[in-house]
Amino acid sequence: TVVSSVKGSKFGIISFKGDAVVSVPITEDTLAIESYLGSVSSHIITTPGTNQEKAIKLALKSFSGNHFNKRVILLISDGEALDGDVFTQATDSVNSETPIYSITAGTQRGANIKIVDDYVKNSQGKVVISRSDPEQFKNLSDLTYGKHYMLQESQVISAVTKEILGMQQNLSGDG
């Protein structure tokens, strides 16, 4: 995983749907991060919708005041935004020198979202189809000097890890 490969870094996790919450505060404890990732489910937040704007805003607030450390937001979602405007946070991200690396999951064709023995339904009781929007994430990453990946790319985790390790080398003067 990215977490276990990038030594000496701190990670945090923000979970989001219609709302965003700090699930794991920024920490060097990679076991806490990996443990949480192993237990993630769609039941964590019950607020309906998808609001990446709130997730990015909360992520930016979560960083400490030390600007000597390189900051990166790794945003993983289908890219479909049902609430908020993800681009309103792009300026804050650029101003704080925090690139957004995005990973789009899912397909543009779409799929139902299974929860236990049923599927997510809208307020009218109809099954929701979640469709990915990779173009939105690509534009966001480009605007914030990050990079965009598709989850189904064969080496996505190693590519993201390599990018973050490259940032560390540039900061330390190595490489």
Side-chain angles (χ1 to χ4, degrees), residues 58-129:
L58 185 55
L60 289 168
K61 284 183 179 180
S62 297
F63 290 114
S64 69
N66 185 348
H67 291 285
F68 296 108
N69 296 329
K70 185 64 180 170
R71 302 166 179 183
V72 175
I73 293 175
L74 180 58
L75 181 65
I76 305 170
S77 178
D78 59 10
E80 181 179 43
L82 302 177
D83 297 307
D85 180 0
V86 72
F87 294 100
T88 62
Q89 297 304 309
T91 301
D92 290 341
S93 179
V94 171
N95 289 341
S96 66
E97 298 181 22
T98 307
I100 298 174
Y101 283 71
S102 59
I103 299 177
T104 303
T107 66
Q108 290 178 298
R109 183 179 75 242
N112 299 332
I113 305 166
K114 189 167 184 156
I115 297 181
V116 189
D117 294 328
D118 200 2
Y119 293 96
V120 173
K121 295 179 182 168
N122 65 18
S123 58
Q124 290 81 36
K126 294 185 180 183
V127 174
V128 171
I129 298 175

